[in-house]
């Protein structure tokens, strides 16, 4: 009996491999080299600014509050708050005062999409504020660390828009994954019972496949949280080094 063709293994970080599993797209070819990709994302203005940050004269360290254990613990609490929001249950209760078409749509992927977008917004706001505050503290420690803070500011301004654009596609990929899992469940399930068309009926899908999807959603959010915290973790490591 002929075997079904298998997809080639996907290369790259765990987050990329996870997202590839949500689609049927062929993403097995090697990604472009980092230098080639950065060349596409940096225009000449950004390149000049980065060059000045790297090669310019070291500025004097600024005065202000020092980084201490309280600040370190505060960063950990903010990350823990985001973790709690990721692991929080998704409210799939259908609003009562909506049309039948909206009710049917809400019973599917819509609550999960709203949950993902809300956590994404919280991650963006938290990491953005943290990154700016940590740079200010880094600039107070020494001239060399002030340069590092300046380089990080340039990198954020240059790469964050591209990062946000790419990460904004994740909810759509999860929607495709949701639909695929639901369709496979319906094909393998027994013939459904006649639907309840009463006013209080809640047609939300359920079953083991939904538990699989919810775990995949949490895994995607956790992977995205790690990506968004990479610059923050780097600044923290520099601040802890004396």
């Amino acid at each position: 009996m002929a075997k079904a063709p298998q997809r080639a293994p996907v290369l790259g970080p765990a987050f990329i491999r996870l997202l590839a599993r949500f689609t049927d797209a062929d993403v097995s070819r090697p990604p472009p080299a980092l230098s080639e990709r950065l060349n596409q994302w940096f225009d000449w203005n950004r390149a000049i600014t980065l060059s000045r940050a790297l090669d310019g004269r070291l500025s004097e360290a600024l005065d202000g509050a020092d980084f201490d254990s309280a600040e370190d613990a505060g960063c950990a609490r903010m990350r823990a708050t985001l973790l709690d929001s990721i692991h929080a249950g998704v409210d799939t209760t259908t609003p009562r005062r909506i049309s039948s078409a909206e009710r049917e749509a809400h019973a599917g992927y819509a609550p999960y999409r709203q949950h993902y977008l809300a956590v994404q917004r919280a991650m963006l706001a938290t990491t953005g504020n943290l990154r700016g505050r940590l740079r200010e503290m880094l600039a107070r420690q020494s001239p060399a660390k002030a340069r590092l803070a300046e380089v990080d500011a340039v990198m954020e301004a240059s790469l964050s828009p591209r990062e946000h654009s790419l990460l904004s596609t994740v909810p759509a990929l999860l929607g495709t994954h949701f639909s695929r899992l639901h369709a496979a469940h319906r094909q393998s399930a027994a013939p459904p019972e006649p639907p309840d068309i009463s006013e209080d009926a809640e047609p939300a899908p359920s079953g083991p496949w939904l538990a699989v999807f919810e775990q995949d959603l949490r895994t995607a959010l956790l992977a995205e949280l790690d990506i968004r915290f990479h610059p923050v973790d780097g600044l923290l490591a520099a601040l802890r080094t004396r």
Side-chain angles (χ1 to χ4, degrees):
M1 187 172 85
K3 294 183 179 180
Q6 296 183 350
R7 294 174 62 181
V10 176
L11 305 177
F15 191 39
I16 300 300
R17 297 197 303 270
L18 175 68
L19 297 182
R21 186 163 59 84
F22 297 160
T23 71
D24 286 329
D26 182 10
V27 292
S28 58
R29 63 185 180 88
L34 178 60
S35 58
E36 178 183 344
R37 184 56 59 91
L38 288 176
N39 185 53
Q40 297 172 3
W41 294 354
F42 274 79
D43 58 25
W44 66 274
N45 286 317
R46 297 291 188 190
I48 291 175
T49 304
L50 179 59
S51 177
R52 288 173 178 169
L54 289 169
D55 302 326
R57 182 179 178 182
L58 291 175
S59 59
E60 295 297 325
L62 303 176
D63 294 329
D66 291 332
F67 179 79
D68 55 21
S69 58
E71 287 288 346
D72 206 347
C75 294
R77 284 194 300 272
M78 292 180 188
R79 186 165 188 164
T81 298
L82 291 171
L83 284 171
D84 289 342
S85 67
I86 289 173
H87 290 292
V90 178
D91 182 10
T92 58
T93 304
T94 307
R96 299 186 63 85
R97 296 187 177 182
I98 59 176
S99 67
S100 58
E102 291 173 323
R103 178 178 293 271
E104 182 177 355
H106 187 90
Y109 175 60
Y112 298 98
R113 180 178 183 276
Q114 293 303 317
H115 174 73
Y116 201 103
L117 291 174
V119 177
Q120 268 192 330
R121 288 191 293 268
M123 287 192 290
L124 176 60
T126 298
T127 54
N129 292 334
L130 269 179
R131 198 168 175 179
R133 191 163 83 245
L134 294 178
R135 278 200 301 264
E136 292 177 359
M137 293 182 180
L138 192 63
R140 296 169 189 151
Q141 288 192 345
S142 71
K145 290 187 177 182
R147 168 171 287 176
L148 178 58
E150 186 178 357
V151 170
D152 181 74
V154 174
M155 296 298 286
E156 181 179 18
S158 302
L159 301 183
S160 287
R162 180 66 176 178
E163 176 187 87
H164 301 333
S165 175
L166 293 172
L167 290 175
S168 68
T169 65
V170 177
L173 294 177
L174 281 166
T176 301
H177 185 48
F178 179 95
S179 299
R180 185 177 296 109
L181 289 175
H182 192 196
H185 165 73
R186 294 181 63 179
Q187 289 179 359
S188 62
E193 298 179 358
D196 182 356
I197 58 174
S198 64
E199 182 180 352
D200 295 330
E202 294 286 350
S206 62
W209 71 272
L210 190 57
V212 170
F213 171 77
E214 290 175 348
Q215 181 57 47
D216 286 341
L217 182 143
R218 285 190 293 269
T219 301
L221 281 170
L222 290 170
E224 182 170 331
L225 180 65
D226 285 342
I227 288 175
R228 291 185 182 273
F229 259 85
H230 280 167
V232 174
D233 291 338
L235 292 170
L236 286 171
L239 284 163
R240 294 171 186 143
T241 304
R242 296 291 181 176

